[in-house]
């Protein structure tokens, strides 16, 4: 079993920054694909980005150059640094883990473990 817990959400003004963290517990393997997703009210959940076992990252087009994903394997922690935030970035942010690696793009349903989410509001 793997448990994921997000933290760091809150209210921030447009142009500001936030750092979200996701701490994993249980049997977490470095080979897992780790991803960040977000969901705004009335919209489908969308991928923000992901990081593979070698530290390679990929991002959704709208956040490229503004968001950065990193991980600390020793601490079992996944981090999302968000910069130059926009109101359209508002939503509930989730971290997720997939037992398979990040080969190509993984859809949300392909992830095996999910956190409960943390709310981000950009005003």
């Amino acid at each position: 079993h793997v448990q994921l817990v997000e933290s760091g959400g809150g209210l921030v003004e447009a142009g500001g920054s936030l750092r979200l963290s996701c701490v994993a517990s249980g049997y977490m393997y470095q080979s897992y694909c780790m991803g960040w997703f977000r969901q705004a009210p009335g919209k489908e959940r969308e991928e923000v980005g992901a990081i593979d076992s070698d530290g390679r990252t990929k991002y959704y087009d709208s956040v490229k150059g503004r968001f950065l994903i990193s991980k600390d394997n020793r601490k079992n922690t996944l981090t999302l640094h968000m910069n130059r935030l926009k109101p359209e970035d508002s939503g509930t942010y989730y971290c997720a883990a997939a037992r398979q690696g990040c080969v190509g793009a993984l859809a949300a349903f392909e992830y095996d473990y999910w956190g409960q989410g943390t709310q981000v509001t950009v005003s």
Side-chain angles (χ1 to χ4, degrees):
H1 287 75
V2 173
Q3 292 183 329
L4 305 174
V5 180
E6 304 96 338
S7 64
L11 177 65
V12 63
E13 294 183 354
S17 301
L18 279 177
R19 181 186 65 193
L20 306 184
S21 296
C22 172
V23 179
S25 61
Y27 292 101
M28 175 64 68
Y29 295 92
Q30 295 183 19
S31 61
Y32 287 2
C33 179
M34 302 294 299
W36 283 100
F37 291 79
R38 67 186 183 187
Q39 186 169 25
K43 297 183 179 180
E44 293 187 351
R45 188 171 299 183
E46 65 179 11
E47 182 180 9
V48 174
I51 186 167
D52 68 13
S53 60
D54 294 319
R56 292 186 290 266
T57 56
K58 59 181 180 180
Y59 301 94
Y60 183 66
D61 287 344
S62 67
V63 307
K64 287 181 178 178
R66 298 190 299 119
F67 289 14
L68 179 66
I69 296 172
S70 62
K71 65 177 180 179
D72 186 328
N73 291 325
R74 182 177 62 83
K75 297 181 179 180
N76 285 335
T77 301
L78 181 73
T79 302
L80 177 64
H81 295 87
M82 303 185 294
N83 303 301
R84 302 192 304 280
L85 284 161
K86 305 174 181 179
E88 52 263 43
D89 293 319
S90 297
T92 302
Y93 282 70
Y94 303 88
C95 67
R99 291 192 294 269
Q100 61 183 297
C102 297
V103 180
L106 295 184
F109 74 87
E110 295 181 283
Y111 284 82
D112 302 290
Y113 309 103
W114 292 85
Q116 292 300 305
T118 185
Q119 184 69 42
V120 173
T121 302
V122 184
S123 63

